[in-house]
Amino acid sequence: GWKYAINITIINFNNKKMQITWATRELFPNENVSFFYTFDEGKHKVWKSCTTYLLDQDYNSGCLFKTEGPTLAISIRNSNGSEELFSKKLKSDFYIKPNRPENVTFFWKEDTVTVSCNKPERAASCLRLELQYKSKFDEEWQSRTSKCCSVGEQGFDPRKCYSFRVRLRRLVPYCNVVNYSSDWEAETFWMNGVQLDSCDDDTTSQSNTVIVLSCLLAVLLMMFILLILLCKWQRVQITVLPAIPDPKYLFADLFNDHNGNLQEWLDKNDHVVSQTKLYYEEPESITEAESQQEDGKNSDKQRPLEKIFTFSGAAENNDSKAAEIACLKPTSNTMASFAGFHISRNDDTYVML
């Protein structure tokens, strides 16, 4: 009875090849056993010896041979084949491991993905197509299984990158006594219907985008801050250091053409000065000057206007030339004179014409 109690592993690779393995070091220590098989039924069986052995430390631990029928009988014997150590009959169709899915396609429609593959030539009703997927934020695979050979799933976020893999599974117990599945098809990476080389590409592109946007935002923020500081600095500068008017821009020809010689400039611009009045005298002085002009209209109408400089105290002077132009008298210790008038000034003042 012990001949039927040995555990062996049986795999039928898509009904094309059979692989039988056993634990030779535990079951048959220090003995190199031989293997025989047959697909014949009935009493007259023709046994075939294994031609392709699988080895474990130079001992036979399995056999690989071609699948030739649905019913299989195997026999493990001693090294010369004279004594049978183990035998078993089985249905080879109950140990089928399917091949990988072929021609896998992905169809995207909004948040729904449909995966399909080619339909196998035999026993497609015994197969199920399994889809597994996960995003870069998931630790575990999520699985969805459907009839061969199409499976769909919805709820995918177009902003995430997903990894997909598919395989075929054999139904248990209706078609197989062992839950065998095919190897996984090559893993693919998708994002919003676009296939990528890997989800690392998506992470890299997003990181680069974030870096560029951050740098651009930082530059704009610095420019805005500098603009605010510049405006405030101009206001502070105007408040603390007000601009002092420069007379050379008002009388450019005085300084450019006459090198600041006021008498020469007055002689040359006699008609201009006579028409230009700068009102710096007090209201009383202006009123008195106007009265004098009104009194002199009848007596001296033909006398030409002359260059007159009037000060705040000019009301006591009877000279008619003192009513045309008035200047304020600054407090100073330095005396300056022109056209017969004496003007006191200091280093902090200047005369406006």
Side-chain angles (χ1 to χ4, degrees):
W2 65 269
K3 294 183 179 181
Y4 301 96
I6 295 176
N7 290 328
I8 61 174
T9 302
I10 305 168
I11 302 177
N12 182 357
F13 292 101
N14 202 37
N15 248 344
K16 293 182 178 180
K17 286 187 177 181
M18 297 289 301
Q19 176 180 293
I20 311 295
T21 57
W22 55 89
T24 184
R25 302 299 296 171
E26 298 176 2
L27 299 175
F28 314 107
N30 301 323
E31 184 176 1
N32 205 2
V33 297
S34 58
F35 181 84
F36 295 85
Y37 67 94
T38 181
F39 288 93
D40 296 334
E41 299 183 16
K43 295 181 180 181
H44 303 285
K45 298 177 182 179
V46 178
W47 292 92
K48 297 180 180 180
S49 61
C50 179
T51 57
T52 306
Y53 279 103
L54 304 177
L55 302 179
D56 180 11
Q57 298 181 3
D58 296 331
Y59 286 93
N60 296 336
S61 61
C63 181
L64 187 65
F65 53 94
K66 183 179 179 181
T67 303
E68 299 176 357
T71 304
L72 173 64
I74 60 175
S75 175
I76 299 177
R77 304 175 185 178
N78 58 4
S79 58
N80 57 17
S82 59
E83 181 183 358
E84 187 176 75
L85 304 177
F86 173 78
S87 64
K88 184 177 180 63
K89 292 182 180 180
L90 53 95
K91 293 287 186 180
S92 61
D93 291 345
F94 287 169
Y95 298 88
I96 293 178
K97 179 177 181 177
N99 289 339
R100 292 179 177 178
E102 297 180 357
N103 193 23
V104 178
T105 58
F106 290 79
F107 176 73
W108 288 75
K109 185 178 181 181
E110 297 179 352
D111 66 339
T112 302
V113 179
T114 303
V115 184
S116 59
C117 66
N118 289 348
K119 189 175 182 178
E121 297 178 356
R122 298 180 55 185
S125 59
C126 287
L127 297 175
R128 293 292 182 267
L129 182 62
E130 181 181 6
L131 169 67
Q132 287 191 348
Y133 61 91
K134 67 176 180 179
S135 70
K136 58 185 178 181
F137 304 103
D138 300 326
E139 296 181 358
E140 301 293 335
W141 289 93
Q142 302 182 52
S143 183
R144 173 70 65 179
T145 304
S146 182
K147 292 183 179 180
C148 185
C149 291
S150 179
V151 58
E153 184 60 85
Q154 61 183 5
F156 291 96
D157 190 343
R159 298 170 297 180
K160 294 181 180 180
C161 178
Y162 292 90
S163 304
F164 292 91
R165 63 182 184 181
V166 293
R167 66 180 178 181
L168 291 172
R169 295 178 57 184
R170 184 85 171 176
L171 284 179
V172 177
Y174 306 103
C175 300
N176 260 33
V177 295
V178 181
N179 189 11
Y180 281 148
S181 301
S182 69
D183 295 333
W184 291 104
E185 181 62 14
E187 187 175 347
T188 57
F189 307 92
W190 295 79
M191 180 178 179
N192 196 21
V194 178
Q195 186 172 5
L196 305 176
D197 293 335
S198 69
C199 285
D200 295 335
D201 297 340
D202 171 59
T203 304
T204 303
S205 63
Q206 287 186 353
S207 299
N208 293 336
T209 303
V210 170
I211 292 173
V212 172
L213 291 178
S214 300
C215 294
L216 181 61
L217 183 61
V219 171
L220 293 177
L221 183 60
M222 291 180 63
M223 292 178 63
F224 180 71
I225 294 175
L226 290 176
L227 183 61
I228 293 177
L229 293 177
L230 181 61
C231 293
K232 289 188 175 182
W233 170 248
Q234 289 181 348
R235 292 181 180 180
V236 172
Q237 189 177 18
I238 292 174
T239 304
V240 178
L241 302 173
I244 300 176
D246 194 339
K248 71 179 181 180
Y249 294 108
L250 299 177
F251 303 96
D253 53 345
L254 173 61
F255 297 95
N256 295 336
D257 300 338
H258 304 284
N259 294 324
N261 190 331
L262 181 61
Q263 184 62 48
E264 181 181 344
W265 178 80
L266 290 175
D267 293 339
K268 187 175 181 180
N269 298 277
D270 184 24
H271 64 286
V272 176
V273 175
S274 62
Q275 298 176 1
T276 304
K277 296 182 179 181
L278 300 178
Y279 299 95
Y280 283 92
E281 65 270 22
E282 296 178 357
E284 293 81 3
S285 300
I286 297 175
T287 303
E288 186 175 353
E290 291 178 352
S291 299
Q292 293 177 2
Q293 290 180 359
E294 185 68 23
D295 296 338
K297 285 183 179 179
N298 298 326
S299 62
D300 195 11
K301 292 184 178 179
Q302 296 180 353
R303 184 175 59 181
L305 295 175
E306 297 181 357
K307 302 175 289 293
I308 301 174
F309 293 84
T310 304
F311 297 90
S312 61
E316 298 177 358
N317 192 352
N318 294 326
D319 193 353
S320 61
K321 296 181 181 180
E324 290 293 331
I325 302 175
C327 296
L328 294 175
K329 181 180 179 181
T331 302
S332 173
N333 297 325
T334 304
M335 301 297 294
S337 63
F338 65 91
F341 292 92
H342 297 283
I343 302 173
S344 62
R345 63 181 179 83
N346 56 25
D347 295 337
D348 297 331
T349 62
Y350 59 88
V351 178
M352 293 292 293
L353 298 179

